[in-house]
Amino acid sequence: MSLGVGIIGCGLIGAKRAAALGTARLVACADLDAARATDLARRVPGAVAEPVDRLLTRADVDVVIVATTNESLAKVSVAALEAGKHVLVEKPAARTVAELDGIAQAAARAKRLVHVGFNHRYHPALQKARELVDAGSLGPMMFIRGRYGHGGRVGYDREWRADPARSGGGELIDQGVHLIDLSRWFLGDFVTVDGIAATFFWDMPVDDNAFLTLRSAGGQVAFLHVSCTEWKNLFSMEIYGRTGKIAIDGLGGSYGVERLTFYRMLPEMGPPETTAWEYPRGDGSWAIEWAEFLQDIHANREPSAGLPAARAALDVVGHVTARSGYHFP
Amino acid sequence: MSLGVGIIGCGLIGAKRAAALGTARLVACADLDAARATDLARRVPGAVAEPVDRLLTRADVDVVIVATTNESLAKVSVAALEAGKHVLVEKPAARTVAELDGIAQAAARAKRLVHVGFNHRYHPALQKARELVDAGSLGPMMFIRGRYGHGGRVGYDREWRADPARSGGGELIDQGVHLIDLSRWFLGDFVTVDGIAATFFWDMPVDDNAFLTLRSAGGQVAFLHVSCTEWKNLFSMEIYGRTGKIAIDGLGGSYGVERLTFYRMLPEMGPPETTAWEYPRGDGSWAIEWAEFLQDIHANREPSAGLPAARAALDVVGHVTARSGYHFP
Amino acid sequence: MSLGVGIIGCGLIGAKRAAALGTARLVACADLDAARATDLARRVPGAVAEPVDRLLTRADVDVVIVATTNESLAKVSVAALEAGKHVLVEKPAARTVAELDGIAQAAARAKRLVHVGFNHRYHPALQKARELVDAGSLGPMMFIRGRYGHGGRVGYDREWRADPARSGGGELIDQGVHLIDLSRWFLGDFVTVDGIAATFFWDMPVDDNAFLTLRSAGGQVAFLHVSCTEWKNLFSMEIYGRTGKIAIDGLGGSYGVERLTFYRMLPEMGPPETTAWEYPRGDGSWAIEWAEFLQDIHANREPSAGLPAARAALDVVGHVTARSGYHFP
Amino acid sequence: MSLGVGIIGCGLIGAKRAAALGTARLVACADLDAARATDLARRVPGAVAEPVDRLLTRADVDVVIVATTNESLAKVSVAALEAGKHVLVEKPAARTVAELDGIAQAAARAKRLVHVGFNHRYHPALQKARELVDAGSLGPMMFIRGRYGHGGRVGYDREWRADPARSGGGELIDQGVHLIDLSRWFLGDFVTVDGIAATFFWDMPVDDNAFLTLRSAGGQVAFLHVSCTEWKNLFSMEIYGRTGKIAIDGLGGSYGVERLTFYRMLPEMGPPETTAWEYPRGDGSWAIEWAEFLQDIHANREPSAGLPAARAALDVVGHVTARSGYHFP
């Protein structure tokens, strides 16, 4: 019998999740804004809108997707785990490491699984990169450069992301955690963290730019910049090994067509052999990510994008914002 | 009467300088490899090949271009100044700050001018960027991202650049000083220097990659990476102000067509107004740089790309390599 | 007092027109599918949905926009003119030259103006091209290359465009008339028409590809290809003069970002001076086109994109399809 | 024992051939300009410069490469065949079909092989295209678009190509024959030939542009434009089948990096699956072409790029120039 799903937080991301449930069924959804929950429920036959506490007590809900704004991610996830549900919580999963640890404890007590929505791992270009790296096509890893950003919009500094009590931080905890997670996915844990978070443009108490230099135990470097003053939306990740390079550009939509270019060094060196793949068909990442979590649940297997990944990312965020003089709740 | 020029160091760069002397005349040239000096002299009517000491005593030599490998740059420059010549010395001008200070002292004593060959400033895209920034098109500066690198060649780690006694360091003192100088040209002096130099690939005692985070007194950031494991040659400089962005890509040749794209933010935000200029006609930078130095000499005016620029760059190089554990002579 | 507008045909294009009326007011709209008319009317305060004949008799309707499928364009335009309205009729304005001549006669009798929706002229890159050409930046015109196409969709050959009784033809009368009109806009009337229309892929009695070679009285050539087997959506127009070239790529959306590149020849020849403008902000063409027509009405001036332009395009279409063996009604 | 080669015509192309002889040996070379022959001979150990008639009588010359200007291609080829040599003659192989038929008759009499230097077939992107098409990746062919051109240089209309007595024609017999040959290679023989040759810019009696519409027996169309007023050098070939498209851009050097993009249609249509290969490593085509001819000689097998290919191309050239009013010798 297919798994029942409850979605808490029915904004843009909640709706994307609802549209990518594959063999699972949306049973109930909840949102502080009841109209949004009702709208979403109406679009899925058999789904109902309910308050959070009622949703969590339903026996036909096996998995809860937590897609709220940041200040509720941890609290709702803990409640869902305590109600015996598996949880997919959107990144960053919590505002702080301390909050996140609460989720981990609840999961351990409840013996339930938690997948963190580091959705970018499931984009086709990143999946292809993973496959190339795993096949040894780059040789041993050397370093990664990442650039990720958008240009905000009029009034961006009045939105919830600009309020540290709700967001837990600025650009670094928003887009930054994706780049940190992707880098760690390829290079492993970081043992040295350096960086600057700064507020250059927006009139808000959180960072709008962060520059990171992270180093793994093996000396590999992730050199990352995230920005909400990027003016022209940009996603770029460049992965270097001893025998080749992968460049990923774009994420679809306003970030441009997603594309992976693979540069393979030849023994005689000189210009590398170059092959590129484009992914113009939009974003199947949500379905792939979800299918993996369903398999994890089925196999009772710890998700590869789980709480340790979120903890590693939040750890970097906390370090860099604190040393840059930000004191978020 | 046009100025007489002596060139010391007749390799690739010396020859480029000889071809871009404009109204000045090549009078004499010298090289440790006498055949190279003879070859170059033969290509220019009226020029002769001579030993360095003879070249420096010629009354018809007004300006000396020092285009040797790094270990001789300072020594030859000092000798030329002491002989009463103006000097154009190629970057990095010296292997260390201490060496460089010797040039400054000699210049002061001799009351002669020194231009440092930070040639990239004179590329058409950089000149256009300077013009746009000076006109206020970007608004107040926020940060710069720079990426510059090449992929070496078979045996690169056996060449003179791999020997710290000759080069004074690796990738950072080679291509790195260009990015540092360009960033300082736009952002001003750096008061905080962070970074990692590392040797990932080449079998040599100097760095093959460096990651820099530099901060100006006003908090503006230069986030720079240079590499000789770049696999596909790359030059990228992205300059961000509060109202726009400039992206410069390519330097011609194997670095791709030089291009500047200017993104201008509109009050309503959203996608910026976008204009691009390409410079496919090769490299007039040598002639422009030289003409500026001739004007400086004529006006007895301190060159804009002078010893302070070289000192600022070498200071960053020294800091980052030392804290990364390199001990160069 | 602002002009009152009636829209007949409330599909995609009709709705775009309704959203770009500027100082004019939508008064009434009509569609064979009454629900579509009602939907559109509901979105505009003060607008009502009505049958076509009622709409045409309203005194508060000064201008009628005819955005129906092709088989009704001429018939509805004639009726609107006979009711004393000015008319903006979407391209191709009629299925045949004979039908089109009926509109011209009705317009002459009614002393009313007809603008034909050759909307591409009003795209920002085309407007910029017009401005560059008018300023003499290309010198005397030599030739134009145009490529325009899309890849259809599953079932495309079952849609109305595949039925010659409704469409009047295939790809050539659909996208082809745009390229013909744009070429004529730059080169003037064509005196020689050569070409092939063919059905390569779709199971339909109309052409899915057309290859045109058109020649002006001055010997200038338009070399045009349109296709609905283009697989990857493409719009490219390359305009050559004796001293430069303009390349226009993209139309936004699935056709890619709209961009104009201007190549200016230098007296010494070699690589041209290259400047590019991108237009990522979507499509203001509908508003610009409409504003021009309002001015034409105000000044009682013949529209620049009027019936002669449509006649010239349909003339080419008729010639090429007939000589390729198609016999459309 | 390796084959001995004589090269007649020691310009740019002759020298490229000399550098790509693989297992064969350059034995002798000849040029009307004796200095050029001497220069080339000096660069190859064992090679000598000789007059043409002496070269052709040498017993150690098995194959003659004819790389002269057009007016001598046929005459020298015939002489070489009559001397019992195999011949590689550069395109167009002759100025006219009549001249070409003389080569064919000489080859038949001498029972020797003739390869025509349609070198573009051997470029890596074209080879990859051939492989994809042969594997059925595009499905049945539909049409080809080709654009090929350069911007000339100051005085281009005073060079030998501008003199029909020497060249046999203008742009169409120069770059045009490549596009015609490549199109025929993919689509087969053309049964309908339409087109315009014209002189728009250069002050010369030969064409500087040609627009071709060629149709195969199966109705497939090659739609080709060649130009020496292209202002920015361009090579583009787009090959369409029922299930995909191949786009080839660039030929290296001033034509840009050579690249093949393969668009594969999916059954659900929409944006195609997209893969691109770049070939930045320069041009191995000369060696590949030569190796194929050596194998043909070894196997006594008619070259795939032989006299029939040249005849097909010259036939198109003759038709189009004649109907455009050019009367070349």
Side-chain angles (χ1 to χ4, degrees), chain A residues 142-143 145 147 151 200-201 209 212 219 223-225 229-232 234 238 240-242 244 263 269, chain B residues 142-143 145 147 151 200-201 209 212 219 223-225 229-232 234 238 240-242 244 263 269:
Chain A
M142 300 197 299
F143 56 87
R145 287 195 303 246
R147 297 172 290 152
F200 285 120
F201 179 83
N209 277 271
L212 307 181
F223 194 62
L224 311 176
H225 178 218
T229 66
E230 183 59 53
W231 304 150
K232 184 170 165 59
L234 173 73
E238 299 168 288
Y240 290 77
R242 289 179 62 89
Y263 302 96
M269 306 197 81
Chain B
M142 300 197 299
F143 56 87
R145 289 195 301 245
R147 297 173 290 152
F200 285 120
F201 178 83
N209 277 272
L212 307 181
F223 193 62
L224 311 176
H225 178 218
T229 66
E230 182 59 52
W231 303 150
K232 184 170 167 58
L234 173 73
E238 300 168 287
Y240 289 78
R242 289 179 62 89
Y263 302 97
M269 306 196 82

Side-chain angles (χ1 to χ4, degrees), chain D residues 8-230:
Chain D
I8 299 174
C10 300
L12 184 65
I13 301 297
K16 285 195 189 214
R17 294 286 180 198
L21 291 181
T23 59
R25 291 160 299 113
L26 182 65
V27 167
C29 49
D31 196 293
L32 290 183
D33 175 348
R36 292 210 304 192
T38 309
D39 273 2
L40 183 56
R42 189 180 297 146
R43 296 210 297 270
V44 182
V48 297
E50 284 194 302
V52 169
D53 51 358
R54 296 266 302 274
L55 185 154
L56 290 180
T57 57
R58 289 183 69 122
D60 56 356
V61 167
D62 304 292
V63 192
V64 169
I65 293 172
V66 186
T68 64
T69 46
N70 293 0
E71 79 273 24
S72 305
L73 290 173
K75 190 176 52 180
V76 173
S77 295
V78 167
L81 289 162
E82 290 178 344
K85 314 304 186 189
H86 299 293
V87 168
L88 184 157
V89 56
E90 298 298 343
K91 62 89 197 168
R95 289 169 295 182
T96 60
V97 168
E99 270 197 349
L100 192 82
D101 288 345
I103 306 181
Q105 289 150 16
R109 283 192 304 265
K111 298 193 195 309
R112 288 295 178 275
L113 300 177
V114 180
H115 173 98
V116 178
F118 284 121
N119 176 265
H120 289 22
R121 293 191 187 193
Y122 301 89
H123 268 253
L126 271 304
Q127 293 274 307
K128 177 79 177 178
R130 183 79 257 174
E131 182 190 316
L132 286 165
V133 169
D134 289 349
S137 302
L138 295 196
M141 294 284 95
M142 300 195 299
F143 56 87
I144 286 176
R145 287 196 301 246
R147 297 173 291 151
Y148 192 12
H150 63 81
R153 52 193 161 255
V154 174
Y156 188 69
D157 40 10
R158 302 275 76 82
E159 300 183 7
W160 71 267
R161 289 183 203 280
D163 173 4
R166 300 196 59 195
S167 58
E171 174 64 13
L172 184 51
I173 204 170
D174 182 26
Q175 296 192 298
V177 293
H178 278 304
L179 279 195
I180 298 165
D181 179 60
L182 291 174
S183 299
R184 179 178 167 273
W185 195 34
F186 286 105
L187 299 185
D189 283 321
F190 296 112
V191 297
T192 318
V193 171
D194 257 306
I196 295 173
T199 310
F200 285 121
F201 178 84
W202 297 102
D203 180 20
M204 59 186 189
V206 296
D207 51 290
D208 58 20
N209 277 271
F211 305 87
L212 308 181
T213 307
L214 312 177
R215 197 146 44 161
S216 73
Q220 298 145 326
V221 173
F223 194 61
L224 312 176
H225 178 218
V226 290
S227 176
C228 56
T229 66
E230 183 59 52

Side-chain angles (χ1 to χ4, degrees), chain A residues 61 118 153 212 219 244 261:
Chain A
V61 168
F118 284 121
R153 52 192 160 256
L212 307 181
T261 309

Side-chain angles (χ1 to χ4, degrees), chain B residues 29-49:
Chain B
C29 50
D31 197 294
L32 290 182
D33 176 349
R36 292 211 304 192
T38 308
D39 272 4
L40 183 54
R42 189 178 297 146
R43 296 210 296 269
V44 182
V48 297

